[in-house]
Amino acid sequence: MKIWLLVFLPWWAWAQPADELDAKLLQHYQQLQQDETAREAAIRKGRERAVLCAYCHGKDGNGGKGDIPILAGQNPLYLVHQLERFASGQRKRFVMEKLAQNLDHEEKIHLSLYYASIAQKPAAFDAEKARAGQALFASHCTVCHGERGMGQKGFARIAGQKPEYVKNTLLNFRKDGEKRFSPEMQAITKTLSEQELEQIAHYVASLGQP
Ligand code: HEC
Ligand code: HEC
């Protein structure tokens, strides 16, 4: 019941800025959405800044080992918010916290727009596990991440994401919220077993296929 109510809230009620700084970031981001020339310039600056990130995330934001998320094609507002969370220490991962602390708001916006503008190369997955995860995904995940896992506004696109990363992330949300806390994700993952989370993760990855 509660979940259904939440669906009808405007997206920004979810992404409610935690503080004034976050509100400024959101405002700036929205301005760029309306100004094509400024957006293109921002993407170009993001590409230049992303040299730092390529070592782990790949040159086009699609690369890296299994525990490194694909950034290409992600919703830019989600990316901006996650960089904010790393910088404030709300989301934990040593390297990302340090890197994000060294980015100013402009740079975070530029990087997010840049990665969002690249086409995603969907990750490999296990077809049998994906099949087993389909019904669980439909009943547990679509309400926020969408029918095909494409997300919306501040919600993460999960379609095509690496299954190892998705599974680890789901386990982290479920465990104690120490690495990453989200009341919504904690509530959902607590109702699922590790095996079910793995199956869902492979189904999520399979959604990246055209
Ligand atoms: C040393 C490796 C490394 C480098 C360099 C690196 N990242 Fe990351 N990044 C990671 C890992 C690992 C994660 C996953 C963290 C987790 O959830 O535990 C991550 C997560 C992220 C996320 C969250 C994505 C999501 O789906 O939630 C964003 C955004 C991000 N990185 C952006 C960047 C940017 C921008 C740079 C360059 C300024 C960068 N990263 C450089 C390793 C790296
Ligand atoms: C009630 C809404 C809601 C539901 C239902 C939900 N999620 Fe989420 N999900 C969120 C929110 C909010 C976040 C962002 C949390 C944050 O900012 O750290 C998130 C983040 C995630 C992430 C992290 C994305 C990334 O790139 O790091 C994954 C993976 C994810 N969800 C998968 C799922 C799966 C799989 C299900 C179903 C089992 C699910 N979610 C159900 C709201 C929801």
Side-chain angles (χ1 to χ4, degrees):
M1 177 60 199
K2 206 169 148 210
I3 286 180
W4 287 107
L5 262 180
L6 293 169
V7 182
F8 297 110
L9 285 174
W11 66 268
W12 46 258
W14 282 98
Q16 203 58 262
D19 54 26
E20 213 184 306
L21 239 51
D22 206 2
K24 268 193 209 150
L25 195 72
L26 206 61
Q27 194 189 18
H28 187 123
Y29 168 73
Q30 278 159 355
Q31 278 164 359
L32 279 182
Q33 288 304 93
Q34 282 148 22
D35 182 343
E36 178 117 8
T37 321
R39 191 166 66 246
E40 275 168 16
I43 290 175
R44 202 169 49 245
K45 285 183 202 154
R47 187 185 302 124
E48 285 158 17
R49 199 75 176 89
V51 173
L52 262 183
C53 324
Y55 178 72
C56 294
H57 291 282
K59 268 197 178 137
D60 59 355
N62 275 300
K65 285 180 289 176
D67 68 334
I68 295 178
I70 295 174
L71 304 179
Q74 184 55 272
N75 300 328
L77 200 56
Y78 170 77
L79 291 175
V80 163
H81 277 143
Q82 294 307 312
L83 289 172
E84 279 289 277
R85 285 181 180 214
F86 282 125
S88 70
Q90 239 181 308
R91 179 171 172 184
K92 303 215 168 36
R93 185 83 183 209
F94 188 75
V95 183
M96 283 309 308
E97 288 172 63
K98 293 292 156 211
L99 285 169
Q101 281 161 13
N102 282 316
L103 298 169
D104 63 27
H105 288 172
E106 293 285 312
E107 291 170 322
K108 287 186 195 126
I109 292 173
H110 297 161
L111 282 161
S112 299
L113 289 170
Y114 166 61
Y115 282 118
S117 74
I118 310 173
Q120 185 204 50
K121 291 188 192 131
F125 61 93
D126 179 309
E128 203 173 309
K129 286 179 187 162
R131 258 194 305 281
Q134 180 166 15
L136 289 165
F137 179 85
S139 55
H140 288 78
C141 318
T142 53
V143 80
C144 296
H145 295 281
E147 290 287 315
R148 304 266 318 153
M150 292 303 285
Q152 45 164 328
K153 310 277 177 165
F155 282 116
R157 167 188 178 155
I158 52 178
Q161 187 56 275
K162 296 173 188 167
E164 301 88 335
Y165 171 74
V166 174
K167 184 187 170 193
N168 282 343
T169 299
L170 294 173
L171 287 172
N172 282 339
F173 278 130
R174 190 180 70 166
K175 205 160 54 192
D176 51 12
E178 169 58 26
K179 282 196 174 154
R180 212 177 155 178
F181 179 68
S182 153
E184 300 88 8
M185 285 305 300
Q186 191 171 57
I188 300 280
T189 47
K190 275 212 188 298
T191 66
L192 296 158
S193 70
E194 182 166 348
Q195 193 195 10
E196 287 173 321
L197 293 177
E198 180 167 3
Q199 292 167 343
I200 293 173
H202 283 271
Y203 181 68
V204 162
S206 78
L207 287 173
Q209 300 301 316

